[in-house]
PDB file of all heavy atoms in Angstrom:
ATOM      1  N   THR A 358     105.250 126.272 152.310  1.00  0.00           N
ATOM      2  CA  THR A 358     104.750 127.314 153.206  1.00  0.00           C
ATOM      3  C   THR A 358     103.417 126.911 153.832  1.00  0.00           C
ATOM      4  O   THR A 358     103.038 127.397 154.888  1.00  0.00           O
ATOM      5  CB  THR A 358     104.608 128.655 152.448  1.00  0.00           C
ATOM      6  OG1 THR A 358     104.390 129.697 153.391  1.00  0.00           O
ATOM      7  CG2 THR A 358     103.460 128.619 151.461  1.00  0.00           C
ATOM      8  N   ASN A 359     102.708 125.996 153.166  1.00  0.00           N
ATOM      9  CA  ASN A 359     101.462 125.457 153.705  1.00  0.00           C
ATOM     10  C   ASN A 359     101.563 123.932 153.688  1.00  0.00           C
ATOM     11  O   ASN A 359     101.160 123.285 152.720  1.00  0.00           O
ATOM     12  CB  ASN A 359     100.272 125.934 152.874  1.00  0.00           C
ATOM     13  CG  ASN A 359      98.937 125.499 153.474  1.00  0.00           C
ATOM     14  OD1 ASN A 359      98.902 124.826 154.511  1.00  0.00           O
ATOM     15  ND2 ASN A 359      97.852 125.868 152.826  1.00  0.00           N
ATOM     16  N   PRO A 360     102.104 123.324 154.753  1.00  0.00           N
ATOM     17  CA  PRO A 360     102.341 121.873 154.759  1.00  0.00           C
ATOM     18  C   PRO A 360     101.086 121.037 154.530  1.00  0.00           C
ATOM     19  O   PRO A 360     101.185 119.876 154.141  1.00  0.00           O
ATOM     20  CB  PRO A 360     102.916 121.622 156.164  1.00  0.00           C
ATOM     21  CG  PRO A 360     103.507 122.928 156.565  1.00  0.00           C
ATOM     22  CD  PRO A 360     102.605 123.972 155.972  1.00  0.00           C
ATOM     23  N   GLU A 361      99.914 121.624 154.748  1.00  0.00           N
ATOM     24  CA  GLU A 361      98.680 120.886 154.499  1.00  0.00           C
ATOM     25  C   GLU A 361      98.581 120.453 153.036  1.00  0.00           C
ATOM     26  O   GLU A 361      97.925 119.469 152.702  1.00  0.00           O
ATOM     27  CB  GLU A 361      97.479 121.759 154.862  1.00  0.00           C
ATOM     28  CG  GLU A 361      96.145 121.052 154.739  1.00  0.00           C
ATOM     29  CD  GLU A 361      94.976 121.995 154.968  1.00  0.00           C
ATOM     30  OE1 GLU A 361      95.094 123.155 154.542  1.00  0.00           O
ATOM     31  OE2 GLU A 361      93.984 121.584 155.565  1.00  0.00           O
ATOM     32  N   LYS A 362      99.261 121.206 152.148  1.00  0.00           N
ATOM     33  CA  LYS A 362      99.196 120.931 150.718  1.00  0.00           C
ATOM     34  C   LYS A 362     100.165 119.832 150.281  1.00  0.00           C
ATOM     35  O   LYS A 362     100.317 119.573 149.093  1.00  0.00           O
ATOM     36  CB  LYS A 362      99.525 122.202 149.925  1.00  0.00           C
ATOM     37  CG  LYS A 362      98.587 123.370 150.199  1.00  0.00           C
ATOM     38  CD  LYS A 362      97.172 123.066 149.782  1.00  0.00           C
ATOM     39  CE  LYS A 362      96.267 124.283 149.967  1.00  0.00           C
ATOM     40  NZ  LYS A 362      94.865 123.994 149.622  1.00  0.00           N
ATOM     41  N   ILE A 363     100.834 119.198 151.236  1.00  0.00           N
ATOM     42  CA  ILE A 363     101.822 118.187 150.874  1.00  0.00           C
ATOM     43  C   ILE A 363     101.168 116.942 150.283  1.00  0.00           C
ATOM     44  O   ILE A 363     101.740 116.264 149.436  1.00  0.00           O
ATOM     45  CB  ILE A 363     102.681 117.807 152.108  1.00  0.00           C
ATOM     46  CG1 ILE A 363     103.978 117.121 151.673  1.00  0.00           C
ATOM     47  CG2 ILE A 363     101.913 116.914 153.065  1.00  0.00           C
ATOM     48  CD1 ILE A 363     104.956 116.927 152.814  1.00  0.00           C
ATOM     49  N   TYR A 364      99.937 116.642 150.704  1.00  0.00           N
ATOM     50  CA  TYR A 364      99.305 115.377 150.317  1.00  0.00           C
ATOM     51  C   TYR A 364      99.128 115.203 148.807  1.00  0.00           C
ATOM     52  O   TYR A 364      99.423 114.139 148.269  1.00  0.00           O
ATOM     53  CB  TYR A 364      97.962 115.218 151.030  1.00  0.00           C
ATOM     54  CG  TYR A 364      97.318 113.879 150.772  1.00  0.00           C
ATOM     55  CD1 TYR A 364      97.896 112.710 151.249  1.00  0.00           C
ATOM     56  CD2 TYR A 364      96.146 113.784 150.026  1.00  0.00           C
ATOM     57  CE1 TYR A 364      97.320 111.476 151.007  1.00  0.00           C
ATOM     58  CE2 TYR A 364      95.564 112.556 149.781  1.00  0.00           C
ATOM     59  CZ  TYR A 364      96.153 111.408 150.274  1.00  0.00           C
ATOM     60  OH  TYR A 364      95.581 110.190 150.020  1.00  0.00           O
ATOM     61  N   PRO A 365      98.668 116.223 148.060  1.00  0.00           N
ATOM     62  CA  PRO A 365      98.476 116.016 146.621  1.00  0.00           C
ATOM     63  C   PRO A 365      99.757 115.688 145.866  1.00  0.00           C
ATOM     64  O   PRO A 365      99.699 115.156 144.763  1.00  0.00           O
ATOM     65  CB  PRO A 365      97.908 117.359 146.143  1.00  0.00           C
ATOM     66  CG  PRO A 365      97.356 117.997 147.362  1.00  0.00           C
ATOM     67  CD  PRO A 365      98.241 117.560 148.473  1.00  0.00           C
ATOM     68  N   TYR A 366     100.930 116.021 146.451  1.00  0.00           N
ATOM     69  CA  TYR A 366     102.178 115.803 145.735  1.00  0.00           C
ATOM     70  C   TYR A 366     102.765 114.418 145.982  1.00  0.00           C
ATOM     71  O   TYR A 366     103.863 114.112 145.542  1.00  0.00           O
ATOM     72  CB  TYR A 366     103.176 116.913 146.088  1.00  0.00           C
ATOM     73  CG  TYR A 366     102.608 118.269 145.758  1.00  0.00           C
ATOM     74  CD1 TYR A 366     102.374 119.211 146.745  1.00  0.00           C
ATOM     75  CD2 TYR A 366     102.240 118.575 144.454  1.00  0.00           C
ATOM     76  CE1 TYR A 366     101.813 120.436 146.438  1.00  0.00           C
ATOM     77  CE2 TYR A 366     101.668 119.791 144.141  1.00  0.00           C
ATOM     78  CZ  TYR A 366     101.462 120.719 145.134  1.00  0.00           C
ATOM     79  OH  TYR A 366     100.889 121.924 144.827  1.00  0.00           O
ATOM     80  N   GLU A 367     102.040 113.575 146.719  1.00  0.00           N
ATOM     81  CA  GLU A 367     102.332 112.150 146.825  1.00  0.00           C
ATOM     82  C   GLU A 367     103.742 111.839 147.301  1.00  0.00           C
ATOM     83  O   GLU A 367     104.428 111.004 146.738  1.00  0.00           O
ATOM     84  CB  GLU A 367     102.067 111.462 145.479  1.00  0.00           C
ATOM     85  CG  GLU A 367     100.619 111.582 145.044  1.00  0.00           C
ATOM     86  CD  GLU A 367     100.311 110.768 143.808  1.00  0.00           C
ATOM     87  OE1 GLU A 367     101.055 109.820 143.516  1.00  0.00           O
ATOM     88  OE2 GLU A 367      99.325 111.082 143.140  1.00  0.00           O
ATOM     89  N   TYR A 368     104.202 112.548 148.320  1.00  0.00           N
ATOM     90  CA  TYR A 368     105.432 112.127 148.968  1.00  0.00           C
ATOM     91  C   TYR A 368     105.160 110.749 149.568  1.00  0.00           C
ATOM     92  O   TYR A 368     104.123 110.543 150.205  1.00  0.00           O
ATOM     93  CB  TYR A 368     105.815 113.108 150.078  1.00  0.00           C
ATOM     94  CG  TYR A 368     106.164 114.484 149.564  1.00  0.00           C
ATOM     95  CD1 TYR A 368     105.166 115.392 149.214  1.00  0.00           C
ATOM     96  CD2 TYR A 368     107.488 114.862 149.408  1.00  0.00           C
ATOM     97  CE1 TYR A 368     105.480 116.648 148.732  1.00  0.00           C
ATOM     98  CE2 TYR A 368     107.814 116.120 148.932  1.00  0.00           C
ATOM     99  CZ  TYR A 368     106.810 117.003 148.598  1.00  0.00           C
ATOM    100  OH  TYR A 368     107.126 118.246 148.123  1.00  0.00           O
ATOM    101  N   PRO A 369     106.048 109.766 149.367  1.00  0.00           N
ATOM    102  CA  PRO A 369     105.752 108.385 149.773  1.00  0.00           C
ATOM    103  C   PRO A 369     105.226 108.252 151.195  1.00  0.00           C
ATOM    104  O   PRO A 369     104.284 107.509 151.450  1.00  0.00           O
ATOM    105  CB  PRO A 369     107.108 107.692 149.609  1.00  0.00           C
ATOM    106  CG  PRO A 369     107.789 108.465 148.533  1.00  0.00           C
ATOM    107  CD  PRO A 369     107.364 109.891 148.735  1.00  0.00           C
TER     108      PRO A 369
END
Side-chain angles (χ1 to χ4, degrees):
T358 192
N359 185 359
E361 184 186 37
K362 300 297 184 183
I363 198 171
Y364 185 66
Y366 302 117
E367 299 187 21
Y368 295 79

